[in-house]
Amino acid sequence: MLVLKDICWDAPDGESILEGVSLEVPDDKLMVITGPNGGGKTTLAKIIAGLETPKSGRILLDGEDITDLNVTERARKGLSYAFQQPVRFKGLTVRRLLEMAAGGALSEKKACEVLGRVGLCAREYIDREVDATLSGGEIKRIEIATVLLRHTRLSIFDEPEAGIDLWSFNNLIEVFQQLRQTLHGKMLIISHQERILQIADEIAVIADGVLRQAGSAEEVLPELLAGAQGGGRCCIRKEAFAG
């Protein structure tokens, strides 16, 4: 289980972004954190990953306090973070990136298997560079493939729908559904998308730096949808793309 205890964080200008957020992410569950833009969702994800340091509060992963560990040490403990905009590496091939994630050489069969799971043909991608020639959807799926190879205790995906086309979004939904069915560990997704919320086991709502609601998807999602239909303030987006 991942346990967050009274997490607080201030922006460099002193503005309070997170105010005493306490949350539990159970084992073998997919939790989606949602809420209005600017509410602190991505900041919280970066704090869990070790990319930001909380002003106060503690982070426990399976009972171990990891608050003071840096991002590399947390990765060694079994934590993965998929960026909203994945990093591109000119000169680094997809094969090499996958091998770095796996911690050693990969057979053609294994590389084909993991790329196939994210909807990519290994023969077309294995020797391509992880650079600007890849689309947003392609780079997102390759990043997810690296997470699959690491078999981490906690996997965090920050708005995986950002910057990708509808076809890629549909494929990502399928990948997350498969991951949910075979999950051994904890998965956390930051998202506004209704279709991603619909495959969650647990949903947490963060707004204005405060945890507003948390519970099973069966309890929380209907209330969010009712709020959207009633014209109230709501974070849910039904469509990922415009035009």
Side-chain angles (χ1 to χ4, degrees):
M1 178 179 289
L2 173 71
V3 178
L4 307 179
K5 295 184 176 182
D6 298 317
I7 299 296
C8 297
W9 188 83
D10 292 346
D13 63 2
E15 180 185 1
S16 178
I17 303 299
L18 293 173
E19 301 176 11
V21 173
S22 295
L23 183 64
E24 294 183 357
V25 183
D27 291 335
D28 301 332
K29 298 290 185 181
L30 165 57
M31 173 175 278
V32 177
I33 296 181
T34 193
N37 287 332
K41 304 181 304 299
T42 290
T43 298
L44 184 64
K46 288 182 176 179
I47 286 172
I48 296 170
L51 298 169
E52 297 286 356
T53 302
K55 181 176 73 172
S56 62
R58 311 305 296 173
I59 305 168
L60 282 73
L61 180 61
D62 297 331
E64 180 182 1
D65 192 329
I66 63 169
T67 311
D68 298 323
L69 300 184
N70 62 36
V71 64
T72 301
E73 292 168 330
R74 294 187 197 195
R76 290 173 180 157
K77 294 288 184 182
L79 193 154
S80 292
Y81 182 85
F83 289 86
Q84 186 177 138
Q85 298 296 333
V87 180
R88 297 172 186 268
F89 303 94
K90 184 175 177 58
L92 183 69
T93 65
V94 172
R95 181 195 301 272
R96 181 58 185 144
L97 183 63
L98 294 178
E99 289 180 337
M100 289 171 65
L106 283 179
S107 66
E108 291 288 332
K109 181 179 179 180
K110 183 62 177 179
C112 185
E113 174 190 331
V114 71
L115 288 174
R117 287 187 65 185
V118 296
L120 297 176
C121 174
R123 286 179 297 178
E124 294 180 10
Y125 288 91
I126 196 68
D127 293 318
R128 287 185 63 177
E129 290 189 10
V130 188
D131 59 14
T133 63
L134 293 171
S135 70
E138 289 169 333
I139 193 73
K140 283 282 179 72
R141 281 180 277 167
I142 289 168
E143 185 176 46
I144 291 173
T146 66
V147 173
L148 294 177
L149 283 167
R150 292 195 59 213
H151 303 292
T152 49
R153 294 157 65 189
L154 172 63
S155 302
I156 304 170
F157 299 89
D158 186 8
E159 295 197 26
E161 70 273 13
I164 65 173
D165 58 85
L166 180 57
W167 185 87
S168 294
F169 178 72
N170 289 334
N171 276 270
L172 283 177
I173 293 293
E174 292 179 6
V175 171
F176 286 133
Q177 286 176 319
Q178 293 172 8
L179 284 174
R180 181 175 177 267
Q181 293 168 1
T182 59
L183 190 60
H184 296 293
K186 297 155 282 290
M187 185 157 64
L188 191 62
I189 301 178
I190 310 299
S191 181
H192 300 284
Q193 293 300 329
E194 181 179 347
R195 288 185 61 195
I196 291 180
L197 288 163
Q198 287 174 339
I199 65 172
D201 296 303
E202 306 275 332
I203 296 175
V205 182
I206 293 181
D208 301 320
V210 176
L211 180 66
R212 300 294 182 183
Q213 191 175 10
S216 69
E218 290 83 359
E219 296 170 340
V220 178
L221 185 55
E223 294 184 27
L224 292 177
L225 294 174
Q229 293 171 357
R233 186 184 183 192
C234 184
C235 54
I236 294 180
R237 298 175 186 163
K238 290 182 176 291
E239 298 295 336
F241 314 95

